[in-house]
Amino acid sequence: MTTMGSLILRTASRFLLPLLLLFSVFMLLRGHDEPGGGFIAGLVAATGFALYLFAFDAGRTRELMWADPRVLFGLGLLAATLAGVPPILVGEPFFTAMWWPIEVPGLGEIKLSTPLVFDIGVYLVVLGGVMTIVLALAEAEE
Amino acid sequence: MLIAVLSGFILAAFAPWLARSVGDKAGWMLSLLPAGLFVYFLGFIPAVIEDGALVIHYTWIPGLDISLNFLVDGLSLLFALLISGIGTFIIIYAGGYLHGHPHLPRFYAIMFGFMASMIGLVLSDNLITLFVFWELTSITSYLLIGFDHENKHARWCALQGLLVTVAGGLALLAGLVMIGLAAGSFELSEILADGDVLREYPLYTAMVLLVLAGCFTKSAQVPFHFWLPNAMAAPTPVSAFLHSATMVKAGVYLLARLNPGLGGTDLWLYGLGIVGALTMFTGSFMALRSTGIKAVLAYTTVMALGTLTMLIGIGTELAITAAMTFLLAHALYKASLFMLAGALDHETGTKDILEMGGLRRLMPITFVTACVAALSLAGLPPLFGFIAKELMFEASLQAPGIAFFATVLAVASAIMIVAMAAVFATRPFLGDLKKTPKHPHEAPLSMLIGPVTLAALGLLFGVAAFIPAAAIVGSSVAAVYGAPVEVELYLWHGINLPLMLSILAVVAGVVLYRQWDRVLAMFERMTFIDRFGPERGYEHVMRGLDWIAAWQTGVLQNGYLRNYLTTIVLSTVVVTGWTFFFRADGAISLEDETGFTFYELGVAALVVMGAVVASVTSSRLGAVATLGMVGFGIALIYVLFSAPDLGITQIMVETLTVILLVLVLYRLPDFLNLSNPVVRMRDAAVAVSLGGLMTVLILAVNGVTVNDPISDQLVAWSVPEAHGRNIVNVILVDFRALDTLGEIFVVGLAAAGVYAMIRFRAEDKQK
């Protein structure tokens, strides 16, 4: 696995990975209104890292990720669970959606909400979960 | 009240930290909480005498009709006072007994958790809440018994106690639910107001048997008594607490609590009366055989629990009075004796009575206290234990139906208990000083204040019996009996049959005491008792369980993916298919299935071709590629039928599948065809059956007309309620967020599982 990637793949993946990650964030944020959402976005991001993995190796990929993928899916589960908590504080049932739309100059309205936090949690779980498996498989080979 | 019940749990969280920072005197400081609770509960006495019962309401889970209501009447108050009062001394005592023990802070934490569970248990008005606290006592006592967790025997004993009581607890849960359904309420205060509803319930017998299974296991009745002496593996403060006022009394508490509702029938009378009497006798007999100082006391506890059960079963006014008096007397002397036993063991370094002797000069306070407490155990005047025993004899004599049986066993037990009380009070102290592992001297104040106070109370209550009678025994008897009862306790009842029986018991007991060494020698030879006891039954059951677990794991978890797949597919086909064809009408409609466009048919043809090629190809890469064809074909179908989210997801999943396959491709065994044609035909049949079933199901689903499908509602709500136009996403993250949460936990779990599997394999290989 260590010397598998060709020069073309390496060069391409360097440019493709940021684009794919950007695209995944785009898919994540637009998911509430257009096709997309945390699940798809997480898969897109995981594909990006997997591409990088093929071009380089597991160690480089690990360095590039912000955190250990196991930490990522743990954080994701935590975020998704906590997204259900705020309504309890105001006396609503667990997971009642709460919305705080805010106006940002130049960008228009941004809909901050507990479902958004939940979706980010889903994103992290999918990304972390898939990358945990992929990296473990890749490293087992070495 | 809520704070009073929960304060123990709260302190449990802080106790370890407090114990570490305060150091030596932590026991004294921590004991302030139970002492405060004791005073708080004392404050309820006037109100309870006045009104009988108070119910304090808190809502907890309104949707399930589960509330945190607390019922304060004589019975719960008596228990709450015992738990908090004795608990105070136990905490102080533990500070001395476990002085310098590295896990002392942890001990305090568990102990407070246990105490709080116990208080919650006796004060709960709601059956479900009661059960929650009931199980909490099982779990915390498990931790307490297994406190010495590096000792294998302690762990084994703790597990035995846990399994026996929790198994009973499951039965109890079923029983409590039945009570709730029968009475139409889960609030004890409402259920017990009209007991006839329960007694006339068609499933009354099953209900009572289930409840008894729970109470008998918890309160160590024959044949489940064996776990209790093993619970001696716990540190002595725990044993003292468990045996005197808590854990094992929980079963007795519940029997007493439910007596107005379930009692008064033949089943109740004979079930409790006979089992209780047998337990009483067994406990006394086993005590006589024991030489371990804690074992003797443990078996006398079994005796006491049996007595209480029997008295509740008899259920007459007199019997209930005897039960409550006995309960109080027993709690006082048993806690005292256990703490003294701990002091002896702590100072001498041995637990065997036969190895102690001549300690009266070295430990005078211990000696005097032991005499007073043992007199109460033996039931001699002027101790409170005497009043309890007189009442017990009187109640046995008047018991409807089982008077002869109960009285004979009661007297026999009393004889043996007198002998053992004498052994306990004299053997370690009189005679010549024996050499013990440690050089003994008087125990510290922290270990004496509890037993001395409790023994003194036993004496005070005996001499001035009107105090407990007026303060608490009267109202607790009324709570158990279900109607107000005049309770007056006297030492002197005049010369009557119970007094004669008492004298007989004492005289015979003293004779037995004189002959104890000979009796012991005789028992030495009777080893068959150990061979056939119910504990062997427990061991057989446990071995059987292990065997079944190993067997079924071998059958089900055989390690072959193909077998797992076949099992899953066939069960699905059989269960779903049977339901569909025999329980539903199994009708499918093909009316709407017209008007395909050519490209839809084209995609479908591609998918089918891919599937066929994948199953017959002889190359692995070919199989991967054609499976990919199937996947992307399905993604196309999603897109054609306007489900872009599903389409994108399917494409991403297909891509990742290819990536994963690439990663594992080199590690797979050669792609060979090892199965014979018959096996292949069988596998094909299994696969086709599942495919066929799914096809039929989907066609059938299409034919079902739902009047008002929920999808219409979801579409309508999507924008106004959830601020989102993508309904799929809105459903995932808002409408059905809880389902999604479950699903992502599965994703996380799967990732963790795969990671563990791959990593452990790699590590194994390295070794």
Side-chain angles (χ1 to χ4, degrees):
Chain A
M1 188 61 57
T2 42
T3 56
M4 215 177 118
S6 70
L7 185 62
I8 299 171
L9 186 59
R10 287 183 183 204
T11 317
S13 70
R14 277 205 189 123
F15 289 101
L16 278 174
L17 176 61
L19 281 178
L20 279 169
L21 288 181
L22 203 61
F23 182 61
S24 78
V25 174
F26 166 71
M27 289 295 264
L28 168 67
L29 294 181
R30 77 178 209 142
H32 216 56
D33 287 326
E34 308 288 338
F39 202 84
I40 295 173
L43 290 174
V44 170
T47 324
F49 282 113
L51 183 69
Y52 195 82
L53 171 76
F54 280 108
F56 297 94
D57 59 27
R60 294 276 280 279
T61 316
R62 222 173 244 290
E63 275 171 34
L64 199 70
M65 295 186 75
W66 316 282
D68 189 305
R70 284 173 297 163
V71 176
L72 283 186
F73 82 69
L75 281 177
L77 289 177
L78 189 69
T81 312
L82 289 181
V85 175
I88 296 181
L89 303 179
V90 295
E92 297 278 342
F94 190 55
F95 271 129
T96 309
M98 292 176 74
W99 296 82
W100 306 277
I102 49 168
E103 285 293 336
V104 180
L107 285 174
E109 190 186 48
I110 292 184
K111 293 192 281 188
L112 287 182
S113 62
T114 52
L116 180 64
V117 177
F118 185 80
D119 222 8
I120 292 173
V122 174
Y123 174 82
L124 289 177
V125 171
V126 172
L127 172 59
V130 172
M131 286 316 289
T132 301
I133 298 175
V134 169
L135 280 176
L137 280 173
E139 278 167 356
E141 201 135 309
E142 286 161 13
Chain B
M1 178 55 91
L2 190 61
I3 296 170
V5 172
L6 297 183
S7 59
F9 292 115
I10 297 164
L11 190 61
F14 294 108
W17 169 80
L18 205 66
R20 260 184 223 111
S21 52
V22 177
D24 272 4
K25 298 290 174 208
W28 292 91
M29 245 181 84
L30 289 169
S31 71
L32 287 177
L33 175 79
L37 287 176
F38 181 75
V39 174
Y40 172 75
F41 289 130
L42 276 183
F44 278 97
I45 287 184
V48 166
I49 292 175
E50 190 77 16
D51 303 331
L54 295 148
V55 181
I56 300 159
H57 296 273
Y58 297 93
T59 47
W60 184 19
I61 312 175
L64 292 177
D65 206 14
I66 296 174
S67 54
L68 264 180
N69 291 353
F70 298 110
L71 172 66
V72 186
D73 63 1
L75 180 64
S76 53
L77 197 58
L78 172 62
F79 268 91
L81 285 169
L82 285 175
I83 295 162
S84 55
I86 294 178
T88 307
F89 293 120
I90 297 287
I91 296 291
I92 298 174
Y93 180 85
Y97 185 82
L98 291 173
H99 181 78
H101 193 287
H103 295 316
L104 182 60
R106 182 189 302 169
F107 175 83
Y108 284 130
I110 311 175
M111 197 70 180
F112 276 112
F114 176 67
M115 193 185 296
S117 318
M118 209 51 220
I119 289 180
L121 164 62
V122 297
L123 288 170
S124 290
D125 188 36
N126 187 289
L127 287 176
I128 303 299
T129 320
L130 182 146
F131 180 75
V132 170
F133 283 118
W134 178 282
E135 293 296 61
L136 274 174
T137 64
S138 290
I139 294 168
T140 41
S141 65
Y142 166 70
L143 294 173
L144 286 171
I145 298 170
F147 180 68
D148 189 9
H149 61 268
E150 282 166 15
N151 179 342
K152 195 176 172 205
H153 178 68
R155 291 204 306 272
W156 186 85
C157 292
L159 188 65
Q160 187 188 48
L162 182 76
L163 288 176
V164 173
T165 54
V166 169
L170 285 177
L172 177 70
L173 178 62
L176 292 180
V177 169
M178 284 172 81
I179 291 180
L181 294 178
S185 164
F186 280 93
E187 302 302 318
L188 280 166
S189 47
E190 291 168 21
I191 296 166
L192 301 180
D194 185 10
D196 288 335
V197 175
L198 294 183
R199 284 185 284 269
E200 283 157 14
Y201 189 57
L203 296 173
Y204 172 80
T205 309
M207 182 163 78
V208 169
L209 290 179
L210 286 168
V211 169
L212 292 190
C215 295
F216 283 180
T217 47
K218 193 83 163 182
S219 279
Q221 300 294 307
V222 168
F224 307 110
H225 62 279
F226 55 86
W227 74 265
L228 198 142
N230 286 334
M232 290 296 98
T236 306
V238 176
S239 315
F241 200 37
L242 245 62
H243 284 218
S244 60
T246 57
M247 182 70 176
V248 297
K249 290 271 179 73
V252 172
Y253 165 77
L254 194 61
L255 290 175
R257 173 54 81 208
L258 294 174
N259 183 53
L262 296 176
T265 59
D266 280 354
L267 176 65
W268 190 259
L269 169 66
Y270 291 110
L272 267 66
I274 291 174
V275 171
L278 285 176
T279 307
M280 172 173 74
F281 181 78
T282 310
S284 320
F285 178 72
M286 297 300 280
L288 194 64
R289 288 183 64 215
S290 309
T291 62
I293 194 157
K294 283 174 78 182
V296 170
L297 294 177
Y299 281 118
T300 61
T301 304
V302 174
M303 177 280 293
L305 294 169
T307 311
L308 288 167
T309 306
M310 177 186 83
L311 288 172
I312 295 170
I314 294 172
T316 56
E317 229 171 88
L318 189 68
I320 302 295
T321 310
M324 291 300 113
T325 312
F326 193 87
L327 179 83
L328 178 59
H330 172 255
L332 294 175
Y333 70 67
K334 187 52 61 68
S336 180
L337 288 174
F338 255 115
M339 288 195 259
L340 293 170
L344 285 173
D345 151 34
H346 192 256
E347 296 305 324
T348 60
T350 175
K351 288 188 167 78
D352 197 328
I353 293 180
L354 300 179
E355 290 175 19
M356 300 179 198
L359 294 169
R360 66 187 178 284
R361 285 211 184 76
L362 295 168
M363 304 175 75
I365 305 176
T366 310
F367 175 47
V368 173
T369 318
C371 286
V372 175
L375 281 177
S376 199
L377 166 66
L380 285 170
L383 278 302
F384 197 47
F386 171 71
I387 301 179
K389 182 177 269 185
E390 291 284 278
L391 281 170
M392 191 261 283
F393 282 147
E394 208 177 329
S396 307
L397 284 167
Q398 296 176 9
I402 55 169
F404 181 73
F405 177 73
T407 311
V408 168
L409 288 183
V411 173
S413 306
I415 295 171
M416 293 186 277
I417 292 300
V418 167
M420 287 322 289
V423 166
F424 185 92
T426 55
R427 277 302 180 105
F429 301 102
L430 301 182
D432 300 326
L433 186 61
K434 286 187 184 166
K435 201 167 159 43
T436 49
K438 276 162 97 178
H439 183 69
H441 50 77
E442 193 61 88
L445 175 64
S446 59
M447 293 176 64
L448 284 175
I449 180 166
V452 170
T453 313
L454 295 172
L457 270 180
L459 184 59
L460 172 73
F461 284 177
V463 178
F466 60 89
I467 301 177
I472 189 74
V473 175
S475 46
S476 64
V477 170
V480 179
Y481 189 66
V485 177
E486 277 298 308
V487 173
E488 287 179 341
L489 304 178
Y490 301 106
L491 272 180
W492 181 247
H493 282 250
I495 298 173
N496 52 16
L497 195 50
L499 185 70
M500 295 300 175
L501 291 176
S502 273
I503 294 171
L504 169 69
V506 172
V507 172
V510 170
V511 173
L512 190 59
Y513 162 68
R514 301 293 284 270
Q515 304 295 323
W516 188 53
D517 289 309
R518 237 185 270 173
V519 173
L520 266 187
M522 190 178 82
F523 283 140
E524 287 278 300
R525 294 192 296 274
M526 292 165 64
T527 49
F528 66 89
I529 297 174
D530 294 320
R531 269 209 309 279
F532 297 105
E535 192 167 2
R536 294 293 90 76
Y538 167 81
E539 280 165 17
H540 283 306
V541 169
M542 293 316 290
R543 268 202 296 275
L545 267 181
D546 281 349
W547 182 82
I548 291 174
W551 171 80
Q552 67 95 21
T553 308
V555 170
L556 293 177
Q557 308 292 330
N558 47 39
Y560 293 107
L561 190 58
R562 51 180 178 274
N563 290 355
Y564 294 160
L565 276 178
T566 313
T567 311
I568 293 169
V569 166
L570 281 184
S571 346
T572 312
V573 169
V574 169
V575 174
T576 317
W578 185 77
T579 312
F580 178 66
F581 288 110
F582 295 102
R583 300 188 60 187
D585 56 359
I588 55 173
S589 125
L590 291 168
E591 282 171 30
D592 301 337
E593 316 302 326
T594 49
F596 302 106
T597 60
F598 71 92
Y599 48 84
E600 284 166 3
L601 287 173
V603 173
L606 276 177
V607 170
V608 172
M609 269 162 59
V612 170
V613 175
S615 33
V616 296
T617 180
S618 59
S619 118
R620 177 166 280 143
L621 268 180
V624 172
T626 44
L627 275 180
M629 196 162 105
V630 172
F632 281 107
I634 290 172
L636 261 181
I637 292 177
Y638 287 144
V639 174
L640 289 179
F641 286 88
S642 348
D645 284 275
L646 287 178
I648 302 173
T649 311
Q650 181 73 31
I651 288 172
M652 296 313 302
V653 168
E654 285 305 323
T655 312
L656 280 166
T657 310
V658 171
I659 290 172
L660 290 176
L661 274 172
V662 168
L663 286 171
V664 297
L665 211 53
Y666 293 108
R667 301 133 91 31
L668 294 175
D670 291 341
F671 198 64
L672 297 174
N673 213 336
L674 298 173
S675 52
N676 60 41
V678 177
V679 173
R680 258 176 284 158
M681 288 307 287
R682 185 201 66 192
D683 292 349
V686 170
V688 167
S689 70
L690 182 68
L693 180 74
M694 288 312 294
T695 310
V696 170
L697 278 183
I698 288 173
L699 287 175
V701 166
N702 256 353
V704 175
T705 29
V706 182
N707 286 333
D708 191 9
I710 193 167
S711 49
D712 291 350
Q713 275 303 316
L714 295 182
V715 172
W717 281 333
S718 183
V719 173
E721 297 278 328
H723 310 275
R725 290 192 303 279
N726 178 1
I727 299 159
V728 175
N729 189 257
V730 166
I731 293 174
L732 281 178
V733 301
D734 194 343
F735 293 159
R736 312 299 307 251
L738 200 60
D739 294 352
T740 312
L741 185 70
E743 281 153 22
I744 60 176
F745 265 96
V746 172
V747 171
L749 205 63
V754 171
Y755 180 82
M757 250 162 42
I758 295 172
R759 270 302 159 96
F760 288 146
R761 243 183 92 130
E763 275 170 26
D764 283 350
K765 272 191 183 161
Q766 274 170 11
K767 282 173 200 161

